[in-house]
Amino acid sequence: MNVHQPVPAEVEEEDFFLMSNLRPSDTGLPMVVWVSNRGHARHDARVKVCRTPGDRIAVDDMAVVGIRPSPELIEGPLDGESLKLVQRWIALNADTLIGYWNSELSTRELFQNLKRIE
């Protein structure tokens, strides 16, 4: 199966409500990032990134970055500097993000284990 295969809109919308949003104060990134458990997804682990800097949560202004095998832009535009920061943050937290994706970690454990980039 192609891990970058599009997911039907109804699944994406349902799963979006299962996501945890991480603000810049949580991640060290300049924007909000969403992470989730696998849920009903038919794609591999990924994060959604708000393209607008700050604490703003703009669901209509996002990019999607895959976690494995290495962080890469999957969907939506994201400027090069922001992508590099998100890739660095994902690499720093890959085990935690995958553990959360696989439902091996609770949301509390996710927050406890995540590292900020400096």
Side-chain angles (χ1 to χ4, degrees), residues 60-79:
D60 58 342
D61 190 22
M62 294 189 305
V64 179
V65 180
I67 295 174
R68 58 185 168 190
S70 61
E72 69 175 315
L73 185 63
I74 294 174
E75 184 180 319
L78 192 61
D79 68 83

Side-chain angles (χ1 to χ4, degrees), residues 25-47:
S25 60
D26 300 318
T27 63
L29 293 168
M31 74 288 276
V32 174
V33 176
W34 286 270
V35 300
S36 71
N37 297 115
R38 181 182 174 128
H40 301 328
R42 292 187 279 180
H43 53 72
D44 200 6
R46 55 181 61 183
V47 299

Side-chain angles (χ1 to χ4, degrees), residues 22-35 47-50 52-55 81-90 93 115-118:
L22 305 171
R23 295 180 183 267
S25 60
D26 300 318
T27 63
L29 293 168
M31 74 288 276
V32 174
V33 176
W34 286 270
V35 300
V47 299
K48 294 188 177 188
V49 179
C50 184
T52 306
D55 284 339
E81 183 179 330
S82 294
L83 178 58
K84 285 179 184 177
L85 285 171
V86 171
Q87 288 171 318
R88 198 170 116 217
W89 179 79
I90 289 173
N93 291 289
K115 297 175 183 98
R116 289 175 39 92
I117 58 169
E118 302 300 330

